[in-house]
Amino acid sequence: MLWIFPLAIDLIFLVISIFFTIESIKEKERRAVRFGLTSILVLILLGVILIFFPGVRFWVGVFFALLILFFLFCLIPGNPNEQAIRGTQGYIKGEVTKFDERDTVFARNRSLPLGSEIYKRYYQLHPEKEEKDTIRRASGPPLGRIGSIDREFRPNVSMLKGTFHLPHALGRKEIVEPFFDPPPFPMNPREATEGIKGFALHLGADLVGICRVNPLWAYSHRGEIFYNNWEDWGKEIPASLPFAIVIATEMDSQLVGAAPHTPSLVESGVNYAKGAFIATALANFIAQLGYEAVAHHFRHYDFILVPLAIDAGLGELGRFGYLITKPFGPRVRLAAVTTSLPLIPDKPIDLGVQEFCTRCLRCAETCPSQAIPRGGKVVFNGVERWKLKEDRCFDYWAKIGTDCNICMAVCPYSRPDQGIHRLARWMVSRSPLSRYLFPYLESWVYGRKWHSKEVPSWIKYSAENP
């Protein structure tokens, strides 16, 4: 009767395979569906063998024993990545110079009016950038014609413009003067932290973290101008307030799955709007308590937000330069509030991202502009990381008229936060063997190529467009 045990294990694996196949159908992952169906057929066959062919029961039992051993080995925890649990400080390998916002590819191509005094001043400082930027401007608008990949399908373009209107409208309200009449409301850091996080989640944030501000991640000088405030161009960014509240909003996996088409860009716009609303409301809430606050969102950044998010315990930096969070992977957009309100910082986390990204390479292989490195990390401006070729990425955005998002969509961490994916992420976060094997297993099951997926009919597009 010992053969009953492998039969029971076979039934357990069969149920898991059926569940996986159903989930893959919902996610429109064709290769994974085929893998799931094949697994179901094999497990049914093994069940039949166990029942009707006693002579091979031993070998089937050995097969299942090896599967279980493999699973158990993937549960053995290892030591945490010491670099990751130190946050951004763990990757500093030399002197770090603050990044100048004027040098961003966005600022160079939309905040330098041709022939203006600041145009001349900038290229006197950086003559090596002028020729490339001039060629780019001659090809059309800085970010191309919006939605050109989908022949500028007007409903989708209109959705995008509608959502981007909100951050622009809120951008003038980023710095909030505290209300000192009545005097600041006394709060101990624990109460303040609980209130801030609870209110942020209630406003619509999906993740909230807090860190002490590392001034290295602040921009050195103002470079992006959105409201004709040209007198601010080139000014030094003032010293920051001591605490940062970093919020992340989840991007819908279905719409991101359409990348690089317009539904993915619309979802970016929706989440930039959410971030602007939440950050502005939080900043005003804090000011009403009598403390200083500054909102950082799509139309006002004093900081590079990904390092703040890492230090606030929201995730790790991936190969492609995005933050990778535990529940949503890179499918998030960030906003923040810096404040003088005393708060309790969160601790950085180790999700296994560094080891996983070292072996995965799917974002680098599928990047249309080849902007993501396939090799190892380098030390750039004193920080150890994978160095992107930002100008290539920007040029491809301008070519197709969207923010592409293929690297975000193809990342294994982007899969929905449920079922098998949640289990896999948990195993990778704790097991060295899982960090080593799962990138290869994931590629075997899902494949390495990217194909844009279908979306709901209310935001349809033509996947056959060039």
Side-chain angles (χ1 to χ4, degrees), residues 19-258:
F19 177 75
F20 172 79
T21 304
I22 293 171
E23 291 300 310
S24 298
I25 292 171
K26 292 178 181 178
E27 294 170 24
K28 300 180 175 62
E29 293 285 357
R30 296 176 183 175
R31 181 182 173 110
V33 170
R34 291 196 294 270
F35 179 88
L37 291 174
T38 301
S39 299
I40 290 170
L41 291 174
V42 169
L43 289 166
I44 291 174
L45 177 61
L46 290 175
V48 170
I49 290 173
L50 282 169
I51 295 172
F52 296 106
F53 297 92
V56 293
R57 286 173 180 168
F58 172 78
W59 298 110
V60 175
V62 169
F63 171 75
F64 282 123
L66 291 174
L67 276 181
I68 292 172
L69 280 175
F70 170 76
F71 181 78
L72 292 175
F73 275 122
C74 287
L75 292 177
I76 298 174
N79 295 323
N81 182 332
E82 292 294 332
Q83 283 185 301
I85 62 176
R86 292 177 62 201
T88 55
Q89 196 64 38
Y91 299 95
I92 294 178
K93 303 297 181 181
E95 183 180 354
V96 179
T97 303
K98 286 185 178 182
F99 192 78
D100 191 332
E101 191 184 40
R102 294 173 293 181
D103 292 336
T104 66
V105 68
F106 295 101
R108 293 187 344 244
N109 287 275
R110 65 187 178 193
S111 292
L112 290 177
L114 289 173
S116 66
E117 182 61 30
I118 64 172
Y119 181 97
K120 296 174 185 176
R121 284 166 55 193
Y122 182 79
Y123 288 114
Q124 284 174 354
L125 293 171
H126 300 283
E128 75 282 359
K129 299 181 186 295
E130 185 171 14
E131 182 179 359
K132 181 68 181 292
D133 289 348
T134 300
I135 294 171
R136 186 183 290 116
R137 289 190 195 94
S139 65
L143 286 172
R145 298 184 64 85
I146 297 175
S148 58
I149 191 173
D150 295 330
R151 298 186 177 92
E152 300 173 53
F153 184 53
R154 186 167 178 178
N156 290 5
V157 172
S158 298
M159 289 179 201
L160 172 71
K161 290 182 176 179
T163 55
F164 274 115
H165 173 76
L166 184 59
H168 188 78
L170 294 173
R172 295 179 182 272
K173 308 294 183 183
E174 71 277 6
I175 301 175
V176 186
E177 296 296 332
F179 289 74
F180 292 124
D181 186 17
F185 182 73
M187 299 181 74
N188 68 54
R190 188 171 301 280
E191 290 175 333
T193 300
E194 182 182 10
I196 286 292
K197 288 187 173 182
F199 189 45
L201 293 169
H202 182 68
L203 287 169
D206 293 299
L207 299 172
V208 188
I210 293 170
C211 69
R212 287 190 177 274
V213 170
N214 185 337
L216 291 176
W217 313 131
Y219 288 115
S220 63
H221 296 79
R222 176 69 62 219
E224 284 272 52
I225 303 298
F226 298 111
Y227 304 101
N228 291 319
N229 51 318
W230 297 105
E231 68 279 3
D232 291 339
W233 187 91
K235 284 186 176 180
E236 288 191 22
I237 304 293
S240 173
L241 299 169
F243 294 96
I245 306 151
V246 188
I247 67 105
T249 58
E250 180 194 6
M251 296 176 67
D252 180 80
S253 60
Q254 261 196 304
L255 300 194
V256 169

Side-chain angles (χ1 to χ4, degrees), residues 12 16 125 282 295 300-302 307 374 415:
I12 292 171
I16 294 172
L125 293 171
L282 272 180
H300 176 263
Y301 293 120
D302 288 345
R374 300 189 184 203
R415 305 198 185 283

Side-chain angles (χ1 to χ4, degrees), residues 13 64-79 424 426-438 441:
F13 278 116
F64 282 123
L66 291 174
L67 276 181
I68 292 172
L69 280 175
F70 170 76
F71 181 78
L72 292 175
F73 275 122
C74 287
L75 292 177
I76 298 174
N79 295 323
W426 178 78
M427 293 171 70
V428 168
S429 71
R430 58 185 279 114
S431 163
L433 182 61
S434 296
R435 296 178 184 189
Y436 183 87
L437 292 177
F438 278 28
L441 180 61

Side-chain angles (χ1 to χ4, degrees), residues 149 254-265 402 404-410 450-453 455 461:
I149 191 173
Q254 261 196 304
L255 300 194
V256 169
H261 293 275
T262 47
S264 182
L265 178 62
T402 76
C404 182
N405 279 333
I406 287 177
C407 58
M408 178 187 291
V410 79
W450 173 248
H451 301 285
S452 304
K453 298 177 185 177
V455 291
Y461 74 98

Side-chain angles (χ1 to χ4, degrees), residues 300-358:
H300 176 263
Y301 293 120
D302 288 345
F303 284 87
I304 306 170
L305 293 192
V306 170
L308 291 185
I310 292 170
D311 287 340
L314 296 190
E316 293 188 65
L317 180 68
R319 177 181 289 272
F320 46 14
Y322 280 125
L323 178 78
I324 295 181
T325 66
K326 183 176 182 179
F328 314 121
R331 287 188 295 105
V332 295
R333 294 297 182 192
L334 300 174
V337 175
T338 48
T339 181
S340 60
L341 175 65
L343 299 167
I344 299 176
D346 293 292
K347 295 181 180 179
I349 57 176
D350 172 23
L351 300 177
V353 166
Q354 305 309 305
E355 296 91 333
F356 194 98
C357 286
T358 297

